[in-house]
Amino acid sequence: MASTAKDRSLPDGERLACDVLVVGGGPAAAWAALSAAEAGASVVLADKGYFGTSGATAPSNTGTWCVPPGEGRLAAVEARWKRTAGLGDRRWMLRCVDQSFENLSRLVEWGYPFPSDDGGNLYVANLRGPDYMRFMRAQVAKRGVRILDHHPLLELLGDGHAVAGARGLSRRSGASFEIAAGAVVLASGGCAYFERILGGTGLTGDGHLFAAEAGAAMSGLEFTAKYTLAPRGSSLNKGLPFRWASFYRADGTPLRGPDGEPVTNGIGAAERLIADALTQGEVLARFDLADPAIAEALRRGQPNCFTPYERMGLDPFRDLFPVELKFEGTVRGTGGIRIASADCSVGVPGLFAAGDAASRENVTGGVSGGGAVNASWAMASGWWAGRGASLAARRPAAQSGRRLTALGRAGLRPSEEARPVDLARAVAEVRGRIAPLARNYRRHAETLAEGRRAVEAVWRDVEAHLQADGAGRLRAREVAAVTAVTRWTLAAAELRTETRGAHRRSDFPETDVALARRITVAGLRTVRAEWDEPAEALLEGAAS
């Protein structure tokens, strides 16, 4: 296959072929493409945006779960497992730390510009998102991967036995194209439910919908009530500076906890107090606990965190400013496509998932993986999925001539008569049932049931009547995907009648030890939420 850095726009009706098709443009997609290419597969990577700049990692700094080989691995995993709300899997966690350390070592070998400490030792635990993704793009292109920028995929293709490719469109021209593939890796990122956060514009759960249409299930979607503090009205969702914040009510008096002490450190246990206060009125913040040295370090290390304050004309270390909690969904939450085997297959022949598109319960359990664990999971799962897909593509059935069938439905092929659907209204209706702090931070049976009824009505309208043409197909599929993920999220949240990790129920405020199990959700026409096996009984042989 010819190697190109990027394709401006494929002509209408173009048909490509490859061994492995990677869907997405973040770190998991990059590692999947590298892994498959190094295994000898021909690879196409198709990104909704420009590979290397799209997604949640590119505009961020991110730590990694960097654990060198040795006895310390077991201690690190055990310490982290205790924070997984009983749903992590130690075997997967060990695999993740080992694979991510190998991949960090590869970055050193390839010449990634890690910083050095005063002793000249490389500091490999942190990655600057823009540099990291620019570097990864260069590595992917160097290995002959064909990169399709601004060519979002709309649906998967199947041959009756396995997933066998995908169809998409060019954002520049609206032209259609098709890619026949021996296997597909969904590394399309999480679902931000149309929330306005950094890098989140294109994170609409597309891969989740594709997987469900192919017959896969979701897991962990109840652990999506993850919010991050931000200056009110901005898209910023990088909360590190709030570790040094104090919080105040609208009249300037300190916000106080039940013990009467002032509330500080907004990324710690105080978050719940701040959330409650925000449902009652305005909350102000100031980074007044940072000394000058810390303030300077934050400005140098997190420069994009301070752009909103500069635009507002204030100094957040001296001035009070209003805050809000930004909903981050599965981007920093946990749930996604259910992983069925050690190579990140989703249980459907020819289909694999990696990164934020996949459920991270194996390594994070019912809590957020923050930056570090999530970043290492992207490295590790991308590598495993790329290798698994390259092996799947070598099977004789994946090599022979196959008749391909389109698997996409909602937004492309309505089940009933096609007619106009108000997409703006659909988005507002769905977001109103999943994003608001007052109803989603702490959930309740009544609001969950009401939300499910409202979102089901939107889904019925989209599934039965929405049919878009040309470039409009992308928005139609995004709306369908977010609606589908919201249905699954609410169903899982309704079934888990307890408070655990990032799932909080005001009507069930305690943790039920008998419910240390995962919830699998599946189905499009009808949603089915079911209890899975206890966490440590899942995926036998995954440690191999």
Side-chain angles (χ1 to χ4, degrees), residues 313-347:
L314 59 84
D315 180 351
F317 296 96
R318 296 183 180 181
D319 304 326
L320 289 174
F321 58 92
V323 298
E324 63 179 327
L325 280 165
K326 302 287 292 185
F327 180 45
E328 295 184 297
T330 76
V331 178
R332 212 188 295 250
T334 293
I337 305 165
R338 184 179 184 273
I339 296 298
S341 61
D343 60 1
C344 291
S345 166
V346 304

Side-chain angles (χ1 to χ4, degrees), residues 198-216:
L198 282 180
T201 303
L203 301 177
T204 50
D206 307 351
H208 301 64
L209 180 60
F210 298 166
E213 290 173 333

Side-chain angles (χ1 to χ4, degrees), residues 201-252:
T201 303
L203 301 177
T204 50
D206 307 351
H208 301 64
L209 180 60
F210 298 166
E213 290 173 333
M218 308 296 131
S219 183
L221 284 178
E222 69 272 33
F223 301 116
T224 51
K226 179 70 182 75
Y227 290 77
T228 292
L229 276 164
R232 191 174 66 197
S234 81
S235 62
L236 184 68
N237 60 318
K238 307 302 176 188
L240 179 64
F242 285 96
R243 184 182 295 277
W244 291 275
S246 297
F247 297 89
Y248 303 83
R249 297 194 179 276
D251 61 3

Side-chain angles (χ1 to χ4, degrees), residues 409 413-417 460 462-466 525:
R409 292 293 177 264
R413 300 173 186 87
S415 62
E416 300 176 23
E417 180 184 3
R460 287 195 298 272
V462 168
E463 187 268 342
H465 305 297
L466 179 59
R525 182 62 61 89

Side-chain angles (χ1 to χ4, degrees), residues 382-402:
W383 191 263
W384 299 329
R387 189 57 53 92
S390 68
L391 293 173
R394 296 175 191 171
R395 293 195 306 261
Q399 300 284 334
S400 59
R402 297 175 289 176

Side-chain angles (χ1 to χ4, degrees), residues 19-23 153 156 163-166 181-186 350-353 389:
D19 295 327
V20 175
L21 169 61
V22 177
V23 184
L153 296 177
L156 297 178
V163 168
V184 175
V185 177
L186 296 174
L351 188 60
F352 301 78

